[in-house]
Amino acid sequence: MKRSWLISGAVVVSMLLGACASGTTGGDGEAAPEGEEELPEVSGGEEILNIGYTGPLSGPAAFYGENTVSGVRMAADEINEAGGFEVEGTTYKLNLVTYDDMYLPNEAATNARRLVQEHDTPIVFVPHSGGVFATQVFNEQEDFLIAAYTSEPDILTQGNELTLRIPPAYDQYPEPFVKYQQERFGKKLALLPTATQYGKDWTEELVPVWEEHGGEIVYDGEVDFGKDTDFFPIVTNALNQNPDVIFVGGPSEPTALLMKAARDLGFEGGFMVMDQAKFEEMDGVLGNYDDIEGAIGMLPILNSDALGAESFISSFEEQLDRVPTAESAFNYQAMYVIVEAMKLAGTVEDPQAIMAQMDAGVKALDEDKFVWHLTGVENNGFDWMASIAAIEDGEIVLIEE
């Protein structure tokens, strides 16, 4: 028998009594009140559809996790406020069930299994590659779709048909990054990325491109942003090798402080910035772009010219009192696409049928919900227009679309 992911309006009262169980929990089962969600109101024959999320909601990566989940939550709230959505004659409201995995792959896998078994979620959003890889071990057998927010290209080489990659893959960035930095600053590179697996994979993708263009690696290091708070010693070691460019990345705030430490120590070269760190968040930390002059990275969502960008940015800033980033915007748009795919598939229960309609779901999406340019789904990944930007004379300049 096909399991149900639905909750009828008649049982909402009983669910409200146990609402704490639908909120966020950590890996030890302790309640995390900051992640609790309120059930949407339903009436008549309306039903509630649970959508799962496991990501870092505590610890060093908590702000990143909140950025990702806030986009999903904002889309779900808008859909519910508009009356929900209809599939095969039934109206559904979305209930986001969030668990904290503290950025740990094993916790993400445990949470994903709980979301499916305890909350019947046909889809689980997972915003880090380690968690995606761990969850891919069993998601096809347990019949749920992973909405993967990670630019790690290898998540789509596992042969897993129920994985949807949301952001652009990072393997398209090294070539333009390297060309820009070598032409502007030189060919000696120091490596100071985040010490996570994601940082190691990004580095492995970047280094061969740097060397193919005649560049040299003069310092090979990494930074554990969960432990390191004084960046001056490791930056000093890197600068002793006289690099022209430094490769950095990780959460935006500590990455910005690391770059500022390099400037305070006299570094005048360029920075290549992994896509996890965002210029717009660095601006909030540093107060301007002066200390990251010559950096190349991702064009901020604030600079998007997509038809729905202005409305999304305005609503996000009003509701959350901070600037939106790609994490929020891409997950917001992904939630809308998934709903369109459900409508076209004629089911909210069958992940395979929903996945089969994902490309059509992109094309069916109203233009005012496009916060970034998305053309469709290719090889189980969203096909976005990836826009690269650099900081020149204190301003964000578009380099390549």
Side-chain angles (χ1 to χ4, degrees), residues 81-309:
E81 289 167 7
F85 64 101
E86 186 176 321
V87 175
E88 295 293 291
T90 300
T91 297
Y92 299 94
K93 299 283 185 67
L94 297 173
N95 178 47
L96 181 61
V97 186
T98 59
Y99 280 3
D100 180 15
D101 63 28
M102 297 164 286
Y103 216 43
L104 300 173
N106 61 321
E107 293 291 342
T110 298
N111 288 348
R113 180 164 271 138
R114 288 186 60 195
L115 285 162
V116 174
Q117 293 178 351
E118 298 176 18
H119 302 282
D120 289 336
T121 55
I123 294 170
V124 177
F125 283 79
V126 185
H128 51 99
S129 59
V132 172
F133 285 128
T135 306
Q136 284 180 320
V137 173
F138 58 86
N139 75 299
E140 289 183 302
Q141 292 86 346
E142 300 193 14
D143 200 28
F144 68 95
L145 176 65
I146 302 172
Y149 189 83
T150 170
S151 60
E152 170 56 63
D154 284 346
I155 67 165
L156 298 185
T157 65
Q158 309 302 305
N160 191 297
E161 294 300 321
L162 291 181
T163 298
L164 172 69
R165 192 195 67 229
I166 295 174
Y170 64 67
D171 55 5
Q172 62 191 293
Y173 301 131
E175 188 74 21
F177 278 26
V178 167
K179 287 182 178 178
Y180 179 88
Q181 292 292 356
Q182 289 194 1
E183 289 175 4
R184 185 172 177 186
F185 293 104
K187 297 193 174 184
K188 293 186 293 182
L189 176 64
L191 302 172
L192 288 177
T194 174
T196 63
Q197 187 61 48
Y198 183 70
K200 298 178 193 300
D201 293 342
W202 230 108
T203 302
E204 288 182 6
E205 191 75 30
L206 175 70
V207 167
V209 179
W210 184 265
E211 293 177 337
E212 286 167 7
H213 286 269
E216 175 189 3
I217 308 300
V218 297
Y219 185 82
D220 187 356
E222 60 183 16
V223 182
D224 186 344
F225 289 118
K227 298 178 181 178
D228 299 330
T229 56
D230 180 4
F231 302 126
F232 282 90
I234 191 168
V235 172
T236 297
N237 291 337
L239 296 186
N240 285 339
Q241 306 305 313
N242 297 313
D244 301 309
V245 180
I246 302 176
F247 173 56
V248 298
S252 299
E253 179 179 357
T255 299
L257 295 176
L258 184 147
M259 295 163 75
K260 186 178 188 305
R263 289 288 186 244
D264 290 345
L265 289 168
F267 179 63
E268 298 181 351
F271 296 100
M272 290 189 289
V273 183
M274 295 171 52
D275 54 337
Q276 184 179 356
K278 304 296 186 297
F279 289 151
E280 60 270 40
E281 291 183 325
M282 293 180 181
D283 183 32
V285 174
L286 302 174
N288 54 58
Y289 290 130
D290 293 346
D291 286 320
I292 57 174
E293 174 69 28
I296 189 168
M298 300 300 102
L299 185 74
I301 289 294
L302 295 174
N303 296 78
S304 173
D305 61 356
L307 291 179

Side-chain angles (χ1 to χ4, degrees), residues 319-360:
Q319 293 179 36
L320 299 172
D321 195 29
R322 66 176 189 267
V323 299
T325 62
E327 288 89 1
S328 304
F330 285 10
N331 281 284
Y332 169 89
Q333 192 162 332
M335 187 70 257
Y336 269 102
V337 170
I338 289 168
V339 165
E340 291 298 325
M342 288 177 171
K343 290 156 64 175
L344 291 166
T347 177
V348 298
E349 298 183 337
D350 185 347
Q352 293 184 14
I354 295 165
M355 188 68 194
Q357 293 297 325
M358 207 65 71
D359 181 70

